[in-house]
Amino acid sequence: MPDLPRVGFLGLGIMGRPMAHNLLRAGYPLVVYNRSPAPVAELVAAGAESAPTPAATGAGCDLAITMLANDAAVEAVVLGPDGLAAGLRRGAVHVDMSTISPLTARRIAAHLAERGVEALDAPVSGGEVGARDATLSIMVGGPAATLERARPPLERLGRSIVHIGAAGAGQVAKACNQLVVGVTIDAVAEALLLASAAGVDPARVREALLGGFASSRVLDLHGQRMLDHAFQPGFMASMQLKDLNIVVALGEAAGVPLPGATTVRDLYEALVARGDGRLDHSGLLTLLEGRAGRPLQRPAVAD
Amino acid sequence: MPDLPRVGFLGLGIMGRPMAHNLLRAGYPLVVYNRSPAPVAELVAAGAESAPTPAATGAGCDLAITMLANDAAVEAVVLGPDGLAAGLRRGAVHVDMSTISPLTARRIAAHLAERGVEALDAPVSGGEVGARDATLSIMVGGPAATLERARPPLERLGRSIVHIGAAGAGQVAKACNQLVVGVTIDAVAEALLLASAAGVDPARVREALLGGFASSRVLDLHGQRMLDHAFQPGFMASMQLKDLNIVVALGEAAGVPLPGATTVRDLYEALVARGDGRLDHSGLLTLLEGRAGRPLQRPAVAD
């Protein structure tokens, strides 16, 4: 086997942990860092090294990947005291696979550039299953040459790697993705609940709509979850809200009115405010059910 | 060839005309009616009979199909003076393939039942191309036994025939379809315009999103129309508005709040009010472009 470059991996949560395992399995010498110790012990048992700080994790690595919860976590881990930026050598590559604001992503890339570190923003879609099966869809912002350097390990994490554009462009694409997913979930929830309230079997409506222009992966997968009231995540409503807040802020910064996205952001805000942030994002249906005063249901007697 | 039943066809517009031709081509003895004479002459030249009133069209027919613009047109043609209801014999079948309110559809079915006429609401999706190629998706409300009587001619018009439920259920499914299509068009328009305004190539965003949970036929087909600014219809924005008004009214009648559908209905209302009702419904993008003060565009220089 050729010598593979040493990789740092910071953030061993629901997504990061299986991704780090995939890199280990592919033979990459791996140094891991995580705030809570349990997943670190698990990765070390599987063959990784661990480091006490982000800076120490980056030292001696050719490439470091972060997979963290939000803007604040990425800023703290990369730019904070003992941060990754302080440890990475000139010429190393930082790949942030978290979903954060494009504006934050650009700021971090600029900071790293001052230190001679190359940066990519590379958020993913595909969820926990995609992380485990290495079938993530990866949307990349940053210099094309930097992506070519990072591509071999990224190919161990995802099936589709699309170079969207310059720094921040990956996060812009992810924001667009979350806008479309969130608004489409709302559309499907409204349609199925409307069918049910009008006395029509929502399962037959879903089936009929899958054959035409209304067809989507959301109608297929999340529509079925709604029919089954199966709202264990999946992707949590609180994360969908975080992402729609990024979308709305980006719209304000770019001067683009987003009436649909804003309406649906407000719905997720209400869902999370009433304590249902841990439901799958398709659980937005339950908010509409509450407002309608009736659940989604199939008719007792078939026609 | 076995004797095929005599069919009445009322409404020879963009959709009805090619549908009537398909029935003629399949060998059905056809009697046609239309308010303006030109398409009547065309169908007569192709072998149809014509009749001077809806009542006369229905007389002697086993089955009559209406394909009209809106609720008022269907009510006038079916229930008005010299209307279809007055001409159809007991035991005949009326199939309304127009897109109208489920409430109107149920009212018409009840009127016809009093006269011993069986009724189906059978709105379609698939547009002009589907009408011409007989690949429409047909959503049917009404008694299952009535659908079985009407199925042979319907199979000459569409590829998929789904029995949704009792009278009005086909229109409920169509309303749900138009809700999802309209709201998804808005989501795609917002996302692509946001990408563009943030300096990112919307074509690459569309491509990346087609690989994940945001994927839909709207993103594929209408997203490409938006990138090309190709807004010749297709399906007119004014018709999308008509259908979203049906959706919102149905939501009010059923006590279901529809925040997403209402937001998008208001956008189509603004689009039509400024004189753009004849654009394809994907032309909703142009309303958002106007509000943002900038067009959707691909970056001048690739990254």
Side-chain angles (χ1 to χ4, degrees):
Chain A
M1 200 195 299
D3 273 3
L4 290 174
R6 189 178 166 84
V7 172
F9 203 105
L10 302 92
L12 301 171
I14 291 176
M15 297 291 288
R17 185 154 55 170
M19 293 165 72
H21 274 296
N22 283 333
L23 290 173
L24 261 186
R25 226 172 274 129
Y28 283 93
L30 204 68
V31 192
V32 300
Y33 173 83
N34 195 59
R35 205 172 42 179
S36 67
V40 173
E42 179 191 304
L43 267 295
V44 168
E49 294 173 48
S50 76
T53 65
T57 309
C61 283
D62 299 286
L63 185 144
I65 294 172
T66 46
M67 190 57 169
L68 299 159
N70 52 39
D71 287 53
V74 176
E75 292 200 273
V77 165
V78 178
L79 303 179
D82 285 322
L84 183 61
L88 286 171
R89 62 168 176 75
R90 296 184 70 82
V93 175
H94 170 230
V95 184
D96 181 31
M97 303 187 76
S98 322
T99 294
I100 62 170
S101 159
L103 311 174
T104 305
R106 285 175 189 156
R107 191 147 32 84
I108 289 173
H111 272 282
L112 291 172
E114 284 172 18
R115 308 184 66 98
V117 173
E118 298 178 33
L120 299 175
D121 50 294
V124 304
S125 84
E128 191 179 350
V129 172
R132 195 184 55 219
D133 300 346
T135 56
L136 293 168
S137 167
I138 307 175
M139 294 159 262
V140 184
T146 306
L147 172 55
E148 290 320 302
R149 292 184 58 198
R151 191 179 288 275
L154 291 181
E155 283 176 341
R156 298 306 189 148
L157 301 175
R159 188 163 49 188
S160 146
I161 301 171
V162 181
H163 185 226
I164 307 288
Q171 297 293 354
V172 170
K174 180 66 189 285
C176 292
N177 189 80
Q178 297 305 80
L179 188 168
V180 171
V181 168
V183 174
T184 309
I185 285 175
D186 175 59
V188 168
E190 291 185 17
L192 296 183
L193 187 59
L194 180 63
S196 166
V200 170
D201 184 350
R204 291 200 207 169
V205 169
R206 170 179 164 280
E207 184 196 332
L209 268 54
L210 281 173
F213 279 131
S215 182
S216 67
R217 289 197 63 188
V218 165
L219 177 64
D220 188 4
L221 304 176
H222 298 84
Q224 189 58 51
R225 276 176 170 272
M226 292 177 202
L227 292 173
D228 299 337
H229 260 247
F231 297 132
Q232 74 290 4
F235 183 74
M236 286 195 296
S238 59
M239 299 296 280
Q240 181 74 52
L241 173 59
K242 183 205 80 170
D243 293 353
L244 285 172
N245 278 326
I246 290 173
V247 166
V248 170
L250 182 62
E252 283 165 7
V256 177
L258 301 173
T262 305
T263 297
V264 175
R265 189 272 311 265
D266 293 349
L267 294 174
Y268 275 105
E269 201 161 64
L271 181 69
V272 171
R274 70 172 204 182
D276 285 331
R278 298 187 67 82
L279 293 183
D280 184 71
H281 52 164
S282 54
L284 185 62
L285 173 71
T286 65
L287 183 79
L288 299 174
E289 288 176 326
R291 293 188 179 178
R294 60 163 93 211
L296 182 73
Q297 55 191 356
R298 304 192 57 172
V301 179
D303 299 292
Chain B
M1 202 194 297
D3 273 2
L4 291 174
R6 188 178 166 85
V7 172
F9 203 104
L10 302 92
L12 301 171
I14 290 177
M15 298 291 289
R17 184 153 54 169
M19 292 164 71
H21 274 295
N22 283 333
L23 290 173
L24 262 187
R25 225 172 274 129
Y28 283 93
L30 205 69
V31 191
V32 301
Y33 172 83
N34 195 60
R35 203 172 44 179
S36 68
V40 174
E42 179 191 305
L43 267 293
V44 168
E49 293 173 50
S50 75
T53 64
T57 309
C61 282
D62 301 287
L63 185 143
I65 294 171
T66 45
M67 190 57 170
L68 299 159
N70 52 40
D71 288 53
V74 176
E75 291 200 274
V77 165
V78 178
L79 303 180
D82 286 322
L84 183 62
L88 286 171
R89 62 169 175 74
R90 295 185 71 83
V93 175
H94 171 230
V95 184
D96 181 32
M97 304 187 75
S98 323
T99 294
I100 62 171
S101 159
L103 310 174
T104 305
R106 285 175 190 157
R107 190 146 34 84
I108 290 173
H111 272 283
L112 291 171
E114 284 173 18
R115 307 183 67 96
V117 173
E118 298 177 32
L120 298 174
D121 49 295
V124 305
S125 84
E128 191 179 350
V129 172
R132 195 183 57 218
D133 301 345
T135 57
L136 293 168
S137 169
I138 307 175
M139 293 158 264
V140 184
T146 307
L147 171 56
E148 289 321 303
R149 293 184 57 196
R151 191 181 286 277
L154 291 181
E155 283 177 340
R156 298 305 188 149
L157 300 176
R159 190 163 46 189
S160 147
I161 302 171
V162 181
H163 185 225
I164 307 289
Q171 297 293 354
V172 170
K174 180 67 189 285
C176 293
N177 189 80
Q178 297 306 79
L179 187 167
V180 172
V181 168
V183 174
T184 309
I185 284 175
D186 175 59
V188 169
E190 291 186 17
L192 296 182
L193 187 59
L194 180 63
S196 167
V200 169
D201 185 349
R204 292 200 207 169
V205 168
R206 171 179 164 280
E207 184 196 332
L209 266 54
L210 281 173
F213 280 131
S215 183
S216 67
R217 287 196 64 188
V218 165
L219 177 63
D220 188 3
L221 304 174
H222 298 84
Q224 188 60 50
R225 276 176 171 273
M226 293 178 201
L227 292 173
D228 298 337
H229 261 246
F231 298 131
Q232 74 289 5
F235 184 73
M236 285 195 298
S238 59
M239 299 295 281
Q240 180 73 54
L241 173 59
K242 183 205 80 168
D243 293 353
L244 285 172
N245 279 327
I246 290 173
V247 166
V248 170
L250 182 62
E252 283 165 7
V256 176
L258 301 173
T262 305
T263 298
V264 175
R265 189 273 310 266
D266 293 349
L267 295 174
Y268 275 104
E269 201 162 63
L271 181 69
V272 171
R274 70 171 204 181
D276 285 329
R278 298 189 66 83
L279 294 182
D280 183 70
H281 51 165
S282 54
L284 185 63
L285 173 72
T286 66
L287 182 80
L288 299 174
E289 288 176 327
R291 292 188 178 178
R294 60 163 91 210
L296 182 74
Q297 55 190 354
R298 305 193 55 173
V301 180
D303 299 292

